[in-house]
Amino acid sequence: MSTLIVLVVPKFIGVHEYGLWQLFVFYESYVGMLHLGWADGLFLRRGGQHASKIDVGSLRAETILFIAFNALVGIVPIVYGVLFATHFQFIIISVGIAILIANMRTWVTMILQAIGNFKGYAINLSAQSLAYLVLIAVILIFNLADYRFMIVAFLLSQLTTSLSGFVQLTQLFKRQKRILKFKDAFREAKLNVTSGFKLMIANSTAMLIIGVIRFGIQRKWSVDVFGKVSLVLSIANLIMIFINAISLVLFPTLRRTKQVVDSVYVGIRNVLMPFLYLTMILYFPLRFIIPLWLPQYADMMKFATILMPMMVYQGKFEILSNTFMKNFRMEATLMFINVTTLVLSVVLTGLTVYVVHNISLAIFSIAFVMGFRSVVAEIILSRRIGVKFVSEVIFENVFILGFMLISWNLPLLMSLGIYLVTIFGYLTYKRRDFMRGITILKELSKY
């Protein structure tokens, strides 16, 4: 589905229309901030819990409260869009609708993830993808390539996920009593918000780290340039779909495992880093194919050189630092790291966008801040676990910097040859660590 959205849709929709659609997607990605960490707290407190241990009466009542709260919040941008907005009116109204639909989807999926029902979660997510796929196909077949139709398709697919999720939960808890317990639900809601607020701030600031730079680009240049940069970011984020899937499964598994934490961390790291380095090879065919397929975006594809390393930093952070810190209940530390990185991002945006007026430096700062966050988080976490990775961290940064230098300055085939030789040497050197990591992961999968 993501491949279709990233690589096929831009072929049939204008650059300006694509930019407007991406602007909605950009704003919609932050609606999760508006439930104040309620769903995040649910995930933290119930992560690893079995379905049989859940008080369904309290959970059902809390779900009603959650939906009612988000409906009230969503009314605000809808009213503003209808009565006062002069620019991007349709987008503002749509974001208001998304507050209810998207957060409702988040609530359902958080429950499924927390109790380890990944089959139900996969079915739920597949329902969204299938609905989105059908709607996008209809739009393209009937030549309705307007950003407003794309937004409606997005919202309907999110609604499909929510409804599918409620069906999953109904089947999961059908044998348990369903008496609504609003008193218990209010208490649970308070505990969830208290627990999840720091994690919500951490997650929201994590999105804002890149979002601030993207917003600066949109304000300084144009919606068209914003759309082109978004396309390149989306290509890098395609791989993150797999990374995020691993991190979702990993958190409740870590809660249940009896393995030693440091050996699990080292094992996952020894498998993850070679995988991430191998995925960077995708830059080379993409750098060749995308300009042929989407010539109107060719001028921005050079920035994939910078943004592919961003995927490595982000992937390592999501699977290792983010997951293990949540497992250790280090939400405050996670929030501090993300807020610090966000401040750095704001400073760099101000310098590169509004002082230097250089879009290349602005996009380069994305990779820089992601690298900064990844290194700081691993230093803090390695001290908590008691494992040192100084030499590995230095190597990773030199490796990534080398990739950016050769792919930016050398011809495509020459840089590909150098990278293949380098990655082959690295994999040969790390093969024993990789196999030990596989063994640890096999043991972890039993939980």
Side-chain angles (χ1 to χ4, degrees):
M1 186 63 241
S2 297
T3 303
L4 173 68
I5 296 299
V6 173
L7 300 180
V8 178
V9 170
K11 185 74 174 178
F12 299 93
I13 189 171
V15 174
H16 185 70
E17 291 285 317
Y18 185 80
L20 289 170
W21 177 44
Q22 284 298 307
L23 191 62
F24 162 77
V25 174
F26 175 58
Y27 289 149
E28 185 276 336
S29 65
Y30 294 99
V31 300
M33 298 173 62
L34 299 175
H35 60 65
L36 306 178
W38 195 340
D40 302 280
L42 174 92
F43 181 64
L44 273 178
R45 295 182 61 241
R46 296 189 184 274
Q49 191 175 24
H50 292 283
S52 59
K53 302 294 183 181
I54 292 178
D55 184 345
V56 178
S58 173
L59 183 61
R60 289 183 71 239
E62 189 179 2
T63 300
I64 294 172
L65 294 176
F66 184 84
I67 293 173
F69 174 79
N70 282 279
L72 290 173
V73 174
I75 289 173
V76 176
I78 292 174
V79 172
Y80 175 80
V82 172
L83 299 180
F84 305 107
T86 55
H87 295 90
F88 308 126
Q89 183 184 54
F90 187 84
I91 292 176
I92 294 171
I93 295 171
S94 299
V95 169
I97 297 171
I99 291 172
L100 173 60
I101 295 176
N103 285 342
M104 194 163 61
R105 171 190 178 275
T106 299
W107 180 260
V108 172
T109 55
M110 285 291 191
I111 296 173
L112 292 172
Q113 292 170 35
I115 63 178
N117 185 10
F118 293 105
K119 179 181 179 181
Y121 172 76
I123 292 171
N124 188 27
L125 194 60
S126 297
Q128 175 191 343
S129 296
L130 182 60
Y132 205 10
L133 180 65
V134 171
L135 291 169
I136 293 296
V138 170
I139 288 172
L140 297 180
I141 290 172
F142 291 96
N143 196 26
L144 302 173
D146 184 292
Y147 79 97
R148 287 167 292 191
F149 288 116
M150 307 292 287
I151 291 173
V152 171
F154 179 89
L155 293 174
L156 288 175
S157 67
Q158 294 270 308
L159 181 61
T160 301
T161 311
S162 301
L163 297 177
S164 170
F166 282 121
V167 171
Q168 292 286 334
L169 293 177
T170 300
Q171 293 176 346
L172 190 64
F173 299 124
K174 62 184 177 181
R175 295 183 180 179
Q176 299 187 35
K177 294 181 180 180
R178 300 184 180 184
I179 301 173
L180 296 176
K181 301 179 180 179
F182 281 102
K183 184 178 180 180
D184 293 341
F186 276 107
R187 184 174 62 251
E188 282 291 313
K190 181 180 178 181
L191 291 172
N192 286 335
V193 171
T194 302
S195 300
F197 186 76
K198 291 178 182 177
L199 182 59
M200 183 274 295
I201 295 295
N203 292 337
S204 301
T205 51
M207 293 189 295
L208 282 168
I209 289 168
I210 299 177
V212 165
I213 301 171
R214 292 179 66 188
F215 182 75
I217 291 172
Q218 187 260 322
R219 296 288 295 176
K220 179 63 180 179
W221 282 276
S222 66
V223 170
D224 293 18
V225 173
F226 175 85
K228 291 181 178 181
V229 173
S230 297
L231 178 77
V232 179
L233 280 169
S234 298
I235 292 172
N237 286 333
L238 277 176
I239 301 162
M240 287 303 301
I241 295 172
F242 302 99
I243 301 298
N244 290 333
I246 296 170
S247 64
L248 290 177
V249 176
L250 190 57
F251 175 69
T253 303
L254 287 175
R255 286 286 182 90
R256 296 169 181 167
T257 184
K258 297 178 181 178
Q259 289 180 280
V260 181
V261 173
D262 58 353
S263 64
V264 173
Y265 185 90
V266 173
I268 294 173
R269 196 183 195 284
N270 286 336
V271 174
L272 176 65
M273 296 315 298
F275 169 77
L276 291 175
Y277 292 149
L278 282 171
T279 56
M280 288 174 67
I281 296 176
L282 293 174
Y283 159 78
F284 299 100
L286 286 171
R287 184 71 175 83
F288 176 74
I289 294 171
I290 296 299
L292 297 177
W293 175 248
L294 300 170
Q296 65 270 41
Y297 294 87
D299 57 328
M300 287 293 170
M301 277 309 298
K302 61 182 179 181
F303 295 119
T305 300
I306 298 170
L307 297 178
M308 289 301 285
M310 175 207 76
M311 174 270 301
V312 174
Y313 286 129
Q314 189 175 353
K316 187 176 76 166
F317 179 84
E318 290 297 331
I319 286 189
L320 293 174
S321 302
N322 196 25
T323 304
F324 277 84
M325 283 184 176
K326 286 192 291 187
N327 186 57
F328 292 139
R329 294 305 304 271
M330 296 170 64
E331 302 97 278
T333 304
L334 192 60
M335 180 179 69
F336 172 77
I337 293 170
N338 283 337
V339 170
T340 303
T341 309
L342 176 59
V343 172
L344 177 62
S345 180
V346 171
V347 172
L348 291 176
T349 300
L351 290 173
T352 58
V353 175
Y354 297 103
V355 177
V356 183
H357 311 296
N358 190 310
I359 193 170
S360 297
L361 289 177
I363 296 176
F364 175 78
S365 64
I366 295 177
F368 180 82
V369 294
M370 299 303 282
F372 171 83
R373 184 181 67 159
S374 176
V375 171
V376 170
E378 185 155 36
I379 290 172
I380 294 173
L381 191 58
S382 62
R383 289 179 179 177
R384 171 68 171 79
I385 297 174
V387 180
K388 294 182 178 180
F389 292 105
V390 178
S391 58
E392 284 86 351
V393 170
I394 293 174
F395 170 81
E396 287 161 12
N397 287 282
V398 172
F399 186 92
I400 288 172
L401 181 61
F403 171 85
M404 289 192 289
L405 288 174
I406 64 169
S407 56
W408 185 271
N409 295 297
L410 297 179
L412 191 64
L413 288 177
M414 185 182 296
S415 57
L416 173 60
I418 294 173
Y419 189 77
L420 288 176
V421 171
T422 305
I423 195 67
F424 177 77
Y426 169 79
L427 294 175
T428 302
Y429 176 74
K430 298 289 288 185
R431 66 185 185 280
R432 292 182 180 177
D433 291 339
F434 180 80
M435 295 311 299
R436 281 195 292 266
I438 292 294
T439 302
I440 291 173
L441 288 180
K442 286 181 178 179
E443 183 66 25
L444 186 64
S445 67
K446 296 177 182 178
Y447 298 92

